[in-house]
Amino acid sequence: MKKVYLILLLFIFSFANAEMVEVEGVYRNTGDIAPNETCRLAKERAKLKALERVTGQVISSEEIEKCSEIDGKSNCERNQFFLSSFNGDITEIEEIDKQLDTEQLNSGELIFVCKIKIRANVVAIEQEKDPNFDFNVKLNNYNFRDGDNLVIDIDVSQNMYLTIFQFLPYEDKNYQVYKLFPLGGEKNFIQVDTLKLPKKNKYEIYFPENVRKKSIDEYLFFIGSKKNINWLNKYSKFEDLKKQFLKSKSIVKSKYKQYTIIK
């Protein structure tokens, strides 16, 4: 009887951080997007809202707006959803309502508007946390052309080990994730101060030859940790990086920045 009681306790504890929420996502198609794609984007926004409600991590309207400026809105919002899921996972999802209507703009243009309501079971990922352990990131630009240089400014609130990965979501043959910093003997222990990267060489932007779109989005994923973590230099998929991230026992903080490369 004691064994059964212990198993029940473990079962309850393992799901104590799960929460069932109902949220609605809305997407207005102001571009050349099919109705079914409009509803898929509405569902992605609903999933983001579900994560935000449980984990507290919010994607700014500025980040969402960037997806409307690139060639491939649906992929962009899907990438934002995955990058935001490092603090939580959606283990179950049910679509409970869906409305697809049309709306006329002042210009006379007729657009599709899709509203999707979902019920989702969101599990907040429990890791050791320190509210005073944080950092801010700023890029010198968010729209680049081939040959431009990327500069990163970072402010840290405490001493930390910092690692930066570059995420190439369009890459389907080679690796999607590459470590950008530290490399080549660089030290990634950052003391309380403002850090400017790169220190010596250049981070030169280039438009990939295998992409036939007019613009693409790439991401920088920043991980600050109290202990040095032995990350790999590259990962086949972003999911592989997430698996190692979740295994970390150190206090960690993650953020991402999106930028667009115009052909």
Side-chain angles (χ1 to χ4, degrees), residues 26-27 29 37 40 72 78 99 108 122-123 129-130 133 147 149 163 183 188 195 205 211 233 247 252 255 261 263:
V26 181
Y27 194 87
N29 173 11
E37 187 68 9
R40 186 162 63 171
R78 196 173 298 113
Q99 297 178 22
V122 182
V123 180
K129 295 179 180 179
D130 179 352
F133 186 78
N149 291 324
T163 306
L183 287 175
N188 69 328
L195 172 69
I205 299 292
V211 175
N233 284 338
K247 291 178 182 178
V252 292
K255 294 186 178 183
I261 308 175
K263 198 168 188 178

Side-chain angles (χ1 to χ4, degrees), residues 133 154 156 158-165 179-192 195 197 199 203 223-231:
F133 186 78
I154 304 167
V156 300
Q158 295 183 17
N159 295 347
M160 67 177 67
Y161 291 92
L162 180 71
T163 306
I164 306 173
F165 291 97
K179 188 195 291 183
L180 186 67
F181 175 84
L183 287 175
E186 291 178 310
K187 303 296 183 182
N188 69 328
F189 182 70
I190 310 302
Q191 296 181 320
V192 179
L195 172 69
L197 293 174
K199 293 181 178 180
Y203 293 154
I223 302 176
S225 58
K226 285 200 171 183
K227 296 180 181 179
N228 198 18
I229 301 173
N230 188 25
W231 305 103

Side-chain angles (χ1 to χ4, degrees), residues 39 43 93-99 114-120:
C39 287
K43 191 170 185 177
I93 185 169
E94 177 188 0
E95 189 176 302
I96 55 180
D97 190 35
K98 177 179 177 180
Q99 297 178 22
C114 188
K115 298 179 181 179
I116 289 186
K117 190 173 184 179
I118 64 170
R119 181 182 294 113

Side-chain angles (χ1 to χ4, degrees), residues 247-259:
K247 291 178 182 178
S248 170
K249 301 300 181 182
S250 173
I251 293 179
V252 292
K253 181 80 174 184
S254 65
K255 294 186 178 183
Y256 77 89
K257 288 292 180 182
Q258 173 190 345
Y259 58 91

